[in-house]
Amino acid sequence: MTKEKDIRHQDSICTNESQIQHKWYHNLKYLIVGILFGIVFVKAEIISWFRIQEMFRLQSFHMYGVIGSAVFTGMISVWLIKKFKIKTVYGEPISIAAKTFNKGQIYGGLIFGFGWAITGACPGPLFAQIGTGTFAVVITLLSAVLGTWVYGYFRDQLPH
């Protein structure tokens, strides 16, 4: 495996890289699904700051049920993809790289969890929250973008 491929395996969740080129409007279906997903988030109260606070205060099972069902669905989906060697809709193979444990995952998870508890938002629902008129969340979005940029800037100097 080349060095570039090895680095790509370490950096990405999935190492698939499509060679198919599409027109710009091909991505509109993803926009539509994203909007529908946001509507589901709103209706299920997943983006509610109060629901998120209930979760972190161990006062309600609602968010744990949603997260647990998502984890279970993901586990079954990955198992099916691996077992039946399912391909993309364009016939390309799906490759899921093995991951190794790193203590940075603990630190990152704690920072993520603290940020989630303080702001009442994680990256998924941010746009749905903004879409419902909770414009204070724009600060959280900008902070997330800035934090990602800072990490990318200093990535080579950080322990991995």
Side-chain angles (χ1 to χ4, degrees):
M1 184 179 286
T2 66
K3 178 133 176 97
E4 184 178 312
K5 280 255 190 213
D6 188 41
I7 290 170
R8 182 165 171 76
H9 274 277
Q10 293 173 5
D11 287 347
S12 58
I13 294 171
C14 188
T15 58
N16 301 322
E17 189 168 335
S18 178
Q19 302 301 318
I20 299 172
Q21 297 294 321
H22 298 285
K23 301 255 188 232
W24 68 270
Y25 54 81
H26 176 80
N27 292 327
L28 288 178
K29 63 185 171 197
Y30 302 112
L31 176 65
I32 292 166
V33 170
I35 290 170
L36 292 174
F37 201 57
I39 292 169
V40 169
F41 273 16
V42 171
K43 293 296 183 185
E45 298 182 1
I46 294 169
I47 66 164
S48 167
W49 182 87
F50 298 103
R51 286 287 188 186
I52 293 167
Q53 290 303 305
E54 284 178 340
M55 175 184 69
F56 282 108
R57 293 179 181 165
L58 304 173
Q59 295 172 332
S60 173
F61 180 75
H62 180 83
M63 292 296 288
Y64 292 110
V66 170
I67 293 168
S69 64
V71 169
F72 183 73
T73 301
M75 288 171 49
I76 298 297
S77 299
V78 169
W79 178 78
L80 288 171
I81 288 168
K82 287 181 175 182
K83 179 163 178 62
F84 297 109
K85 296 181 178 25
I86 296 173
K87 298 183 181 209
T88 68
V89 292
Y90 302 108
E92 297 173 311
I94 297 173
S95 165
I96 302 172
K99 302 289 184 232
T100 57
F101 176 76
N102 180 326
K103 67 180 178 182
Q105 294 165 341
I106 300 295
Y107 301 132
L110 287 170
I111 292 169
F112 180 86
F114 289 144
W116 191 10
I118 292 167
T119 64
C122 74
L126 277 177
F127 296 101
Q129 288 175 316
I130 293 168
T132 61
T134 312
F135 296 115
V137 177
V138 171
I139 302 297
T140 306
L141 176 62
L142 293 175
S143 299
V145 170
L146 178 64
T148 303
W149 181 84
V150 168
Y151 171 77
Y153 187 81
F154 291 107
R155 183 181 187 284
D156 296 336
Q157 298 151 12
L158 297 171
H160 286 93

